[in-house]
Amino acid sequence: MGTMMSGLVVDFLLLATSWTHVLLAPYSKVEESFNLHATHDVLMYGAGPGSLHNYDHNVFPGAVPRTFAGSIMLAWITAPFIYLGTLLGLMTSKLDLQFALRLLLASLNAIALIFVRRAVSARFGRQTSWLYALLTCSQFHLPFWMGRTLPNMFALIPVNLAYYALYNRAPKSIQASSKSINTALVLLTFTAVVFRSEVALLLAPLALQLLVQGHTTFLNLVKVGLLAGLSSIAITVAVDSYFWVQWPLWPELYGIYFNVYLGKSADWGTSPAHTYFTSHLPKLLLSASPLSVLGATLDHRIRSMLCAPFIFVLALSALGHKEWRFVIYVVPLVNIAAARGARWMTSRKKGFPFKHLSFLCALSLIALNFIVTLTSARVSMANYPGGMALAAFNERYAGQENIHLHISNLAAQTGASLFLHEYAPPTYMPPFLVSNPSSAHAWWTYNKTESLTPSMIASSSFTHLIAESPEVGDGEWKVVQNISGFKRWKLNMDTLRKLKTGKIWEISFDEWAQVLEMEVTEQLWILERQSVAIAPSVVE
């Protein structure tokens, strides 16, 4: 019973950590916008043919088409919870819907990680699985992003379920069952075809490894690959051709053509070949990096498990454009290796000095993770000025009519999502949310037109601006509020001066805690046109 309770506690820790990041930083960045707004449109307008013209991707299609598959599933899964939350009075605004769907996505990713943890428990022992959960929660990027609507976070769910299928077996088991292997192959094939094509570079070396080790046959690989691949292609072509009104459309294939064959991904910047190993993975893994090396050194099962991920990262390194999210799929497996190393360090029984130093070192590495994560979480809370600005604007002018707001590019990219268009249609989501009568007669216009000149703004019908400068026009606009955002970290000079004098004992705990200060700067301004009188709502 005690062991079961301990397992449930660490499972809850994984879920609670992901939820905490959502609640601390509820707004979104531009890279999340396609799936976030697609989910918004499915929830708000429905998926019928007569609703598609309202969808956001018709106005902002992006460089390449993305699949709607994840957004549709997330919308459908979220809908019953929205209905329940509405009945209980917990959801009263569009932003509440954004909270709900992000918490659901975080929960789905957390559940997949819980499955991985239980596979670790079966394969490497309970204590190793607890350390795995602790290491995962102590990192910043994975728990922070798994509640965000990046395509990679949709892809991560089936990838982790594939890991569970492969590694949920006895400690001395030589291979997974044929059924488990086929399940993993199907999940990874589906993910590569529908969500993220780079997963194919993980699937290929894994399939080859299974073949070389004699865990499957070439005929089985072909059979499973063809069935899963063709079925997945049929799903994504059917879904995305419908929503994009293009036939036939396979978004991930088009993405490969655009980014790899045409080389357009280089337009977003290129990095040296070593970047994943020297920058992105150390940032993702933190202290799990050295611990994973120890784990791989100690255990041949870990070395075997890391072969395919290592080749995957090498293959991605050949491409010029590199982002941390492309290799996020290896983090759970490297964390298993790190947990194995940490378990060895915390279980030494011989040699008094080495035993305690080893244990202390392992705990210190995990504690260092938490310090970095707490610091990064503080930054994330101040890193979405667009979301904070639009939320503040909605609150300030709630109940007023004839609002025509222009949202600047920076604001649109840093959190001003469609879920913050609080007083613009649609103001309800049939059949779950009842229309707010006070907003039904006070519809606003939220405008995100880019590259407007001062003369264009002056001649427009905008009553308000969320601008990147307080100086717009010639005295026509007045500043009503400014929004600050993260700029940089700086050292507390008072604390440093005390350190230089050598009087460390005179430094209080609070001063030690503030030795690194977060500097913020004004980034956005809410402006109001002085010549326009805003009428109060006629509905109380």
Side-chain angles (χ1 to χ4, degrees), residues 33-319:
S33 62
F34 172 77
N35 281 297
L36 184 68
H37 290 166
T39 307
H40 167 279
D41 293 339
V42 173
L43 283 170
M44 289 292 187
Y45 298 111
S51 303
L52 298 185
H53 69 280
N54 294 311
Y55 277 35
D56 184 68
H57 72 283
N58 294 313
V59 181
F60 301 102
V64 294
R66 291 298 181 192
T67 183
F68 272 81
S71 299
I72 294 169
M73 288 188 284
L74 181 59
W76 289 348
I77 293 171
T78 308
F81 293 94
I82 293 174
Y83 177 66
L84 180 61
T86 305
L87 289 179
L88 297 175
L90 300 176
M91 295 189 185
T92 58
S93 69
K94 288 184 183 180
L95 183 57
D96 291 337
L97 304 188
Q98 181 168 311
F99 270 107
L101 69 91
R102 285 196 54 211
L103 288 172
L104 258 294
L105 180 59
S107 300
L108 293 173
N109 267 302
I111 290 169
L113 285 174
I114 288 169
F115 274 103
V116 175
R117 186 204 68 78
R118 295 186 177 186
V120 174
S121 181
R123 185 78 171 147
F124 299 99
R126 289 190 300 271
Q127 290 81 5
T128 303
S129 77
W130 298 342
L131 288 167
Y132 164 81
L134 191 60
L135 278 164
T136 301
C137 292
S138 71
Q139 293 165 340
F140 175 72
H141 278 81
L142 179 56
F144 177 80
W145 283 95
M146 65 195 216
R148 297 185 171 273
T149 53
L150 286 177
N152 311 76
M153 296 304 112
F154 289 95
L156 188 61
I157 298 169
V159 168
N160 277 328
L161 293 178
Y163 294 155
Y164 170 77
L166 287 173
Y167 303 117
N168 183 40
R169 46 196 169 99
K172 295 183 179 180
S173 171
I174 297 176
Q175 68 180 68
S177 67
S178 297
K179 181 180 179 180
S180 296
I181 289 173
N182 290 343
T183 299
L185 293 173
V186 168
L187 287 168
L188 292 174
T189 301
F190 173 80
T191 306
V193 169
V194 177
F195 290 121
R196 292 298 305 181
S197 57
E198 70 263 16
V199 174
L201 297 178
L202 176 62
L203 172 61
L206 178 62
L208 181 61
Q209 182 182 13
L210 292 171
L211 183 64
V212 170
Q213 292 177 335
H215 298 171
T216 190
T217 64
F218 180 75
L219 183 62
N220 185 67
L221 286 177
V222 172
K223 181 181 70 173
V224 174
L226 281 175
L227 289 174
L230 292 175
S231 300
S232 301
I233 291 170
I235 291 171
T236 188
V237 169
V239 169
D240 295 306
S241 297
Y242 171 78
F243 281 96
W244 286 93
V245 197
Q246 299 179 37
W247 180 266
L249 178 64
W250 177 3
E252 284 308 296
L253 182 61
Y254 185 85
I256 294 172
Y257 170 76
F258 183 86
N259 290 315
V260 180
Y261 182 75
L262 296 181
K264 295 295 184 179
S265 63
D267 294 346
W268 283 268
T270 59
S271 305
H274 58 76
T275 300
Y276 282 127
F277 292 100
T278 59
S279 177
H280 292 319
L281 282 174
K283 181 171 65 175
L284 290 170
L285 297 167
L286 301 179
S287 66
S289 294
L291 287 172
S292 66
V293 174
L294 176 61
T297 303
L298 293 169
D299 198 325
H300 68 92
R301 297 170 299 175
I302 296 293
R303 294 193 294 273
S304 176
M305 184 183 67
L306 292 181
C307 282
F310 180 73
I311 296 172
F312 165 68
V313 178
L314 281 179
L316 282 178
S317 298
L319 300 176

Side-chain angles (χ1 to χ4, degrees), residues 347-351 355:
S347 61
R348 298 299 85 208
K349 296 180 180 179
K350 294 183 179 180
K355 170 185 174 181

